[in-house]
Amino acid sequence: MTDEELQQLVEAVSLEWFERPFRHKAVFNRRLRTTGGRYFLRTHNLEFNYRQYEAYGIETLTAIIKHELCHYHLHIKGKGYKHRDRDFKVLSRQVDAPRFCEALPEHHHYNYEYHCVQCGQVYLRKRAIDVHKYSCGKCRGKLQLTRKV
């Protein structure tokens, strides 16, 4: 999906669910990691996490759009647009906007795997550790390098 297609989708969702036009800019920000979208108070523009769209599809993106449009329309009207405000909570329920977006699947790249020789607890690490200096956090047993990736 391109930024132009996203802009059209946001405008369509705004008209369908809020019965008000979206007159500002909506774009994907590929650097977003911990949030599904953002609303900017000064410019009234919206940014969305492209990874959410990639991982979960158009339905989840539409839900995130509704959430951000709640902030947008309430702020424009001069009403409570923050998560804790009653106006925001009421409007979110009316348009079925989620409170939070789904967590993205994690992509950790571990280079070392250690296991405890007593209890079998497994530890994944990016950096090597000194097995003579550290012990198992569960049973205080000795650690052993299982594999190096």
Side-chain angles (χ1 to χ4, degrees):
M1 177 178 282
T2 65
D3 284 344
E4 292 79 22
E5 292 169 330
L6 174 66
Q7 179 75 32
Q8 292 172 355
L9 179 61
V10 171
E11 290 171 3
V13 169
S14 182
L15 287 173
E16 179 184 345
W17 287 91
F18 298 89
E19 298 175 354
R20 297 178 64 89
F22 176 72
R23 300 181 192 270
H24 293 85
K25 191 174 180 183
V27 294
F28 281 117
N29 182 343
R30 294 177 188 268
R31 293 175 300 173
L32 291 180
R33 293 186 184 275
T34 60
T35 185
R38 293 195 294 189
Y39 167 63
F40 292 95
L41 295 173
R42 289 190 179 146
T43 63
H44 304 295
N45 293 337
L46 300 176
E47 283 185 349
F48 295 96
N49 187 336
Y50 191 77
R51 290 186 187 103
Q52 285 284 335
Y53 170 66
E54 281 181 323
Y56 301 113
I58 193 81
E59 296 84 20
T60 299
L61 178 62
T62 304
I64 295 168
I65 289 170
K66 286 194 270 185
H67 176 95
E68 297 307 322
L69 284 173
C70 287
H71 292 297
Y72 171 82
H73 287 297
L74 289 170
H75 185 250
I76 297 280
K77 288 181 182 178
K79 295 185 176 182
Y81 60 88
K82 296 178 183 176
H83 289 122
R84 66 177 180 257
D85 293 331
R86 188 172 187 278
D87 293 330
F88 182 83
K89 291 176 183 178
V90 169
L91 184 59
S92 292
R93 271 188 240 110
Q94 286 175 354
V95 299
D96 196 29
R99 178 89 164 91
F100 302 102
C101 63
E102 293 186 49
L104 288 169
E106 297 185 27
H107 297 282
H108 292 290
H109 301 286
Y110 297 108
N111 299 327
Y112 299 91
E113 182 180 298
Y114 298 91
H115 77 278
C116 174
V117 295
Q118 280 185 335
C119 70
Q121 176 71 33
V122 176
Y123 297 94
L124 301 173
R125 296 291 180 264
K126 289 185 179 184
R127 292 183 172 183
I129 63 170
D130 183 357
V131 294
H132 302 293
K133 186 177 177 184
Y134 294 97
S135 62
C136 177
K138 191 174 179 181
C139 72
R140 304 302 237 180
K142 187 176 179 181
L143 295 178
Q144 185 177 28
L145 178 65
T146 306
R147 69 183 169 105
K148 183 179 176 183
V149 181

